[in-house]
Amino acid sequence: LYFDGEGWLWVNLDGTICSMDPETGEIRWTLDENVFCRVSYIDSAGHLWAVFGQNDIRRYDLKAGKARLSKSFRVDDGVFTISEGKGGSIWLSSVRKLFVIDRNDQVKHVVPSGAPAFSMLLSDPRTHRVFMFTVNDGLYELHEDYSVTRVETGDIKGISYVMTSSDGTMWLGTYNEGVIRLNEESGLMERIGKDKGLTDLSVKSIVEDSDGNIWFSTRSDIIRYDVRTKELSTVH
């Protein structure tokens, strides 16, 4: 899930990229590339990035809820995730590998210093931190010099997504444990699960809207969490 600068919600539905009206949940436009989209991302400059197949990376310009192809890239390995460094470069993760597309559209392979075996990277749009998800060793932060530090998340298992909201709360999605609200400073956690209305405990992505409400995508639904009432509602 990603909101663009005009307020459209962009969604990857079973490998097809769509724009959605967040007020109605209606699909308004579909990117018809006839190829499965593995992962997508909207960067800080408002470009939509998408990986098709294994290593076909495409960048799009967005306007009025539609996407127009602006440039294509290829790397030698299969790409699992797209993220963005603090300097605006685009980071692509592969199996224990990291590729960087700089602002001049040059692609290079870099080696993270001291990194354990990692499965994917993820950019936090508000703090611009880049998180590294490992196979068996918890959550790390990847820095601009490609060094890593471990993030203290207690005994939370199977973290699938990380997002920091405007009030500083860290939201953690998991594969089968629902959503965790984490205060990094105090270490206090709150779990949001089926008892609070979350229909599916496997969370694929989390995003905050302009009103401060939190949106989750799961295997089956798009769900909005009203921060004022603390109620969940299924949008799509």
Side-chain angles (χ1 to χ4, degrees):
L1 300 179
Y2 293 99
F3 284 100
D4 67 16
E6 297 177 312
W8 295 94
L9 181 63
W10 289 84
V11 187
N12 187 335
L13 292 177
D14 295 326
T16 300
I17 297 176
C18 307
S19 62
M20 178 183 291
D21 184 334
E23 295 297 325
T24 65
E26 177 186 356
I27 301 296
R28 301 301 299 271
W29 184 82
T30 299
L31 178 64
D32 186 14
E33 295 285 17
N34 295 318
V35 186
F36 179 84
C37 177
R38 172 178 286 189
V39 63
S40 54
Y41 174 72
I42 293 181
D43 67 17
S44 59
H47 298 115
L48 170 68
W49 293 78
V51 177
F52 295 93
Q54 296 291 321
N55 53 5
D56 180 7
I57 301 111
R58 304 177 192 178
R59 184 178 65 204
Y60 298 84
D61 296 326
L62 301 180
K63 187 176 182 180
K66 297 182 179 180
R68 180 178 60 85
L69 180 66
S70 62
K71 193 172 181 63
S72 297
F73 305 84
R74 292 188 73 86
V75 297
D76 295 334
D77 294 78
V79 175
F80 295 127
T81 60
I82 310 172
S83 53
E84 181 179 10
K86 290 183 178 180
S89 56
I90 298 300
W91 294 2
L92 311 170
S93 70
S94 182
V95 179
R96 302 192 183 189
K97 291 184 178 180
L98 174 62
F99 296 92
V100 175
I101 302 176
D102 64 23
R103 290 195 168 188
N104 296 317
D105 290 340
Q106 299 299 307
V107 182
K108 64 179 180 179
H109 171 223
V110 298
V111 179
S113 174
F118 62 92
S119 56
M120 67 179 194
L121 304 176
L122 185 146
S123 301
D124 185 352
R126 185 166 297 278
T127 65
H128 302 293
R129 298 165 73 182
V130 177
F131 294 101
M132 173 182 285
F133 297 76
T134 68
V135 178
N136 294 308
D137 198 26
L139 184 69
Y140 283 73
E141 183 177 351
L142 177 62
H143 304 285
E144 284 292 298
D145 62 357
Y146 308 123
S147 65
V148 301
T149 53
R150 203 170 194 278
V151 179
E152 181 53 55
T153 55
D155 60 353
I156 301 173
K157 304 297 183 184
I159 298 173
S160 60
Y161 208 87
V162 179
M163 189 277 291
T164 305
S165 56
S166 54
D167 64 357
T169 300
M170 181 178 283
W171 295 80
L172 306 174
T174 69
Y175 284 110
N176 202 34
E177 298 294 331
V179 176
I180 309 295
R181 294 182 63 179
L182 170 64
N183 184 313
E184 264 195 292
E185 292 187 2
S186 67
L188 293 176
M189 300 183 189
E190 176 190 3
R191 189 180 301 272
I192 298 175
K194 289 189 175 180
D195 59 326
K196 297 185 178 180
L198 191 65
T199 56
D200 188 327
L201 295 180
S202 290
V203 177
K204 291 193 169 187
S205 64
I206 308 173
V207 68
E208 182 181 24
D209 66 20
S210 58
D211 294 322
N213 299 312
I214 310 300
W215 297 59
F216 313 124
S217 68
T218 70
R219 292 171 296 189
S220 58
D221 301 298
I222 296 174
I223 300 165
R224 180 173 54 213
Y225 176 79
D226 189 312
V227 293
R228 183 178 58 85
T229 65
K230 296 187 177 182
E231 294 180 345
L232 294 169
S233 58
T234 299
V235 176
H236 182 84

